[in-house]
Amino acid sequence: MDTNLARRRVWDLPTRLFHWMLVVCVTGAFVTVKLGGLWMDWHIRLGLCTLGLIVFRLIWGFVGPHYARFAQFISGPRGVWRYITAKGSHVAGHSPLGAVSVIALLACFGFQAFSGLFANDDVLSSGPLAFLSEDWSAALTRLHKLNQWLLIVLAAIHVAAILWYRYARHQDLIGPMIHGDIRVPDAAPGRIETVQDTWPLRFKAFGLATIIAMGIWWLTTLAPAGESFY
């Protein structure tokens, strides 16, 4: 019964915004690259936004609040197996199994965004650093195209995992990533550390995001004079 359940904040606002902004940017980048033509300008812009988001999440994984930190949810193969075999086990934040998905997605999306800096379509569009080396550009363009299929597979597994948690373990993962809270028994509050999702924390995240955005913008200015990366 829900009568003895209390709300506990586990996901801070910066982490939630990162998650949904990444969904929007990745979806938009996928759609625009398939449309091609002048839409490639938006594909590059969304790719740069994705790169900034990944850099933010990597840093936030060390300086963010408790459940956003990698040290809190990353465990070895033994920890993942114990979680899988412990039927009905609920954890706050990312589970050991969810951690595998998080790391895989960050690594693959990060590589996709990084390789996009050097990629080109041999027609109109190229990444802001494609001018540095034709060989690097050609190699990373090939990998950029190949990696999209791995990303599609990982995204499908991620969605399937969300559905599995919802219907097999009766655990809602989408709701907490929207409002930030989970519901736990009042009798066991000590097992859940409540995140202080305060405005000073949010301003710290905003400052970090601003610095990263300035760095991404600086990358776009490195092309030789008169040469646009669009």
Side-chain angles (χ1 to χ4, degrees), residues 42-64:
W42 280 103
H43 176 75
I44 295 174
R45 294 182 184 115
L46 290 167
L48 291 170
C49 289
T50 299
L51 177 62
L53 288 169
I54 296 296
V55 172
F56 171 86
R57 185 62 182 91
L58 291 176
I59 297 174
W60 201 240
F62 294 98
V63 304

Side-chain angles (χ1 to χ4, degrees), residues 28-116:
F30 181 80
V31 171
T32 51
V33 77
K34 297 307 176 186
L35 292 174
L38 295 179
W39 285 103
M40 288 300 294
D41 290 355
W42 280 103
H43 176 75
I44 295 174
R45 294 182 184 115
L46 290 167
L48 291 170
C49 289
T50 299
L51 177 62
L53 288 169
I54 296 296
V55 172
F56 171 86
R57 185 62 182 91
L58 291 176
I59 297 174
W60 201 240
F62 294 98
V63 304
H66 180 70
Y67 292 109
R69 297 198 176 200
F70 298 129
Q72 188 278 325
F73 60 83
I74 294 179
S75 61
R78 186 173 299 177
V80 174
W81 178 249
R82 280 201 304 266
Y83 175 78
I84 293 174
T85 55
K87 295 181 179 180
S89 173
H90 287 239
V91 297
H94 291 303
S95 69
L97 184 60
V100 176
S101 175
V102 170
I103 297 305
L105 287 169
L106 286 177
C108 289
F109 281 125
F111 175 78
Q112 192 72 352
F114 171 78
S115 60

Side-chain angles (χ1 to χ4, degrees), residues 5-42:
L5 297 180
R7 285 185 176 274
R8 295 289 187 274
R9 176 61 52 91
V10 295
W11 295 123
D12 56 283
L13 181 61
T15 299
R16 286 178 277 145
L17 287 176
F18 155 79
H19 181 275
W20 296 114
M21 289 174 68
L22 185 64
V23 171
V24 170
C25 288
V26 168
T27 302
F30 181 80
V31 171
T32 51
V33 77
K34 297 307 176 186
L35 292 174
L38 295 179
W39 285 103
M40 288 300 294
D41 290 355
W42 280 103

Side-chain angles (χ1 to χ4, degrees), residues 111-124:
F111 175 78
Q112 192 72 352
F114 171 78
S115 60
L117 294 175
F118 299 86
N120 71 87
D121 64 0
D122 291 322
V123 183
L124 295 173

Side-chain angles (χ1 to χ4, degrees), residues 136-214:
W136 262 90
S137 182
L140 288 174
T141 297
R142 288 193 296 270
L143 293 174
H144 189 76
K145 293 178 179 178
L146 288 173
N147 192 54
Q148 69 173 318
W149 300 109
L150 178 57
L151 291 178
I152 292 172
V153 171
L154 288 175
I157 293 174
H158 188 67
V159 172
I162 291 173
L163 295 175
W164 177 72
Y165 271 99
R166 177 66 181 87
Y167 295 105
R169 294 207 166 186
H170 307 290
Q171 187 175 354
D172 178 23
L173 300 183
I174 297 178
M177 195 53 72
I178 295 175
H179 50 66
D181 300 334
I182 63 171
R183 297 178 68 84
V184 297
D186 274 334
R191 291 163 49 188
I192 305 297
E193 179 172 331
T194 301
V195 169
Q196 299 300 312
D197 188 16
T198 60
W199 279 107
L201 177 79
R202 296 171 181 179
F203 283 126
K204 180 173 76 170
F206 178 77
L208 174 60
T210 300
I211 293 172
I212 293 171
M214 292 173 63

